[in-house]
Amino acid sequence: MPQLIVTVEGVEVKHVYVAKDRTTLGRGPDNDIVLQNPAVSTRHCAFELKGLADVFVEDLGSTNGTFVNNLRIQRQKLEDEDVIAISGFRIRYLEATGDSGFGATAIMSMGATPHLPPPVHASFKVLSGSSAGLEVPVVKAVSTFGQPGVAVIAVSHRRTGYYAAHLDGAQVPQLNGKPLGHDPVLLAHEDVLELAGTKMRFMLGQ
């Protein structure tokens, strides 16, 4: 599934999984992506998902404009690695996806930023369902797991460890029996995640 990574001065502030037909962005609280900045219009732009993976960005008559690769646009189809500029925000569009190994119950997507291999081996071991016993390595900079429209989490590898956050879906994932929110949480060895009815144990090892 396509993804939008929002940064300010190189610091990631939002990571959005594009699963809806129309995802709106603006300063108003009723938007799917809320950017609290006076230079962002109340309803600034919208991202439209066509088919399985085609995404179009459309400016909604914003005051300061929507720019794709430094060119002001009204509506444009996005290509992998395009950068949308809205005031001081930069939004990187990623269309690359891949199969995580969970079959129909999970997906994995990753950014294309090169990084060094992690110093330790990280993986999820499936504890329930038809895939019980399956071990899925976590080797990308950003991976998403779950069932689109139900529950999706993002697992990001940073210098200080692996962090998980609820990314999309009405069902709230559980981490060690407690709700996992949208703020990234550092994962510890043998943490148990419950996601869309599937239990997984996070494993760290050399």
Side-chain angles (χ1 to χ4, degrees):
M1 277 288 178
Q3 298 177 68
L4 301 169
I5 300 175
V6 185
T7 61
V8 176
E9 296 182 354
V11 178
E12 181 178 325
V13 294
K14 290 183 184 294
H15 191 146
V16 180
Y17 190 84
V18 183
K20 297 170 58 178
D21 290 339
R22 184 177 175 86
T23 300
T24 60
L25 180 152
R27 191 175 71 251
D30 58 335
N31 288 282
D32 299 296
I33 305 172
V34 178
L35 300 181
Q36 292 287 358
N37 188 291
V40 179
S41 295
T42 304
R43 301 278 284 186
H44 198 103
C45 68
F47 298 90
E48 295 184 3
L49 177 63
K50 300 291 186 181
L52 293 176
D54 289 339
V55 176
F56 292 78
V57 60
E58 179 181 1
D59 186 82
L60 300 178
S62 66
T63 301
N64 295 312
T66 301
F67 297 78
V68 176
N69 301 330
N70 298 319
L71 296 176
R72 188 164 184 165
I73 58 94
Q74 292 300 317
R75 178 180 168 84
Q76 181 170 316
K77 181 179 181 295
L78 293 173
E79 303 293 339
D80 193 31
E81 297 287 348
D82 275 353
V83 176
I84 302 107
I86 297 173
S87 182
F89 296 94
R90 296 296 179 268
I91 306 171
R92 183 177 169 211
Y93 171 71
L94 299 176
E95 65 180 17
T97 60
D99 192 341
S100 69
F102 289 165
T105 63
I107 52 94
M108 177 184 286
S109 305
M110 71 294 291
T113 303
H115 63 282
L116 294 174
V120 295
H121 173 74
S123 64
F124 282 106
K125 186 173 182 179
V126 183
L127 303 178
S128 63
S130 59
S131 298
L134 179 69
E135 186 172 326
V136 181
V138 182
V139 295
K140 304 299 179 182
V142 178
S143 305
T144 56
F145 299 91
Q147 187 173 340
V150 179
V152 178
I153 64 167
V155 177
S156 57
H157 174 223
R158 305 178 185 177
R159 291 182 180 179
T160 51
Y162 292 83
Y163 290 78
H166 182 198
L167 196 59
D168 181 65
Q171 288 188 13
V172 179
Q174 302 286 311
L175 176 61
N176 299 325
K178 297 180 180 179
L180 179 66
H182 295 283
D183 294 328
V185 175
L186 178 64
L187 292 173
H189 180 56
E190 295 193 343
D191 275 352
V192 175
L193 275 163
E194 186 169 352
L195 177 65
T198 299
K199 285 188 176 182
M200 307 179 295
R201 178 179 287 122
F202 182 69
M203 308 293 289
L204 283 173
Q206 297 298 328

